[in-house]
Amino acid sequence: MRVSLTEDPLAELPVARELVKRFARPVAPDRPSRTERIPIEVRGGPDGPGGRAVAEVPIGSATWGGREPPRVELRIDGGSDHEAVLSARPSVELVEAEAADGRRIVEALEMLARYPRERVARGLLLGEDALAALGEDGALRARVAATVDRLGGIVRGPGTTLDRLFDLAWRAPRLVVLRPEEELGAGSWERLREFSAAVAGRAPGTLAALEVTRPVEVMGGQRLLAAALDRAGARLPLVLLDAREASGDPRIGLAGRLGGLLVDGLGDAVSAPAGSDPRRMAALLHGVLQAARRRLEKAEFIACPSCGRTLFDLERTTARIQALTAHLKLKIGVMGCVVNGPGEMADADYGYVGWGEGKVALFVGREMVEKDIPSDEAPRRLVELIRSRGDWVDPPGDGPGRS
Ligand code: SF4
């Protein structure tokens, strides 16, 4: 394990401990048998375009799946602050409310109606009883149809609820959430395969998701579901749902789980449980997509951890460069020395590298274009360089960049 932060090295230890606590002993679902290997493929990789070939599913004014970057969704409940959701930056693309029964459908619709559709798509996720109630109430169906962009159902596997979901002929479901009754374990692979086979021919324009209760099952379970869907020939895009965690920093737990799946090319949307601060959660989900290189919303900084060779105050300089360039969709390397820096930031668009005591060199890609720049001038010169190459845009609502 290597933990590398652009701050005091002592700050790396608590992060390493948290990672060990969460990921050192993953409990993977049992293998189905000794003779059958689960065909999990890693197709994407950090720099790949994304993994599974999936159908396009239009919802509201956006599209999920196909060649689109993963979407960001938030679960909402009665305690959600809708102003906070709407002001989240970068913004979320869908809010989703869950209803367990008929009465809660009305509550969910009232919650969803507070979100303007031109800003965010609305999703309604129905439990078994809610689906039954909807089947019997034409007026309620009309209200749902008028309010909701993505209707989804929660099923425990192939069976009555899945049939009922697809039998709601007035509106094809756009999401099927598999919520197994028991923890994942022996037999999960078979159940996921049965579920995938049941939805395969029926739902070309539907998303799929797996909802587990224990965070430790998130990664293994979703890899298995993706493999089972692929084996059944179901090109359903996958919404990666995280599980509610009792405590701990989501920047480690949630980011580690969803990030691990995303870098392997899995996932066409990411979603987190309701209850967390929506602004922070939206920023975190976008940050995970960015770090997994599945969706660029802002500049990405590749900074070295610093060592005895570092030739300037790396922490302060990185913060200064971030303040100037965070709104650009570029990769920027900030490296303490020229010995190892250019190699460490090899895929950056621009590089800022220590060149000598108090001096900096600037790179475009792998090519050094300026050197011997006094370090207090260098951030401004970096901005000028980016401008001269046509890659600069002014920050939103801020006039010219503060250089
Ligand atoms: S890039 Fe240079 S300064 Fe930074 S950690 Fe590596 S050797 Fe040290």
Side-chain angles (χ1 to χ4, degrees), residues 307-322:
C307 72
R309 287 200 175 110
T310 308
L311 293 164
F312 54 83
D313 181 340
L314 197 89
E315 203 175 330
R316 217 159 51 91
T317 306
T318 305
R320 197 165 158 215
I321 292 171
Q322 280 178 335

Side-chain angles (χ1 to χ4, degrees), residues 27-33 36 38 183-190 224:
V27 181
D30 293 354
R31 299 224 164 169
S33 75
E36 184 180 22
I38 300 171
E183 290 176 0
L184 296 183
S188 295
W189 172 237
E190 277 315 315
L224 282 182

Side-chain angles (χ1 to χ4, degrees), residues 45 102 183 217 234 289-290 303 340 374:
E183 290 176 0
E217 295 177 334
L289 289 174
Q290 169 107 11
N340 290 326

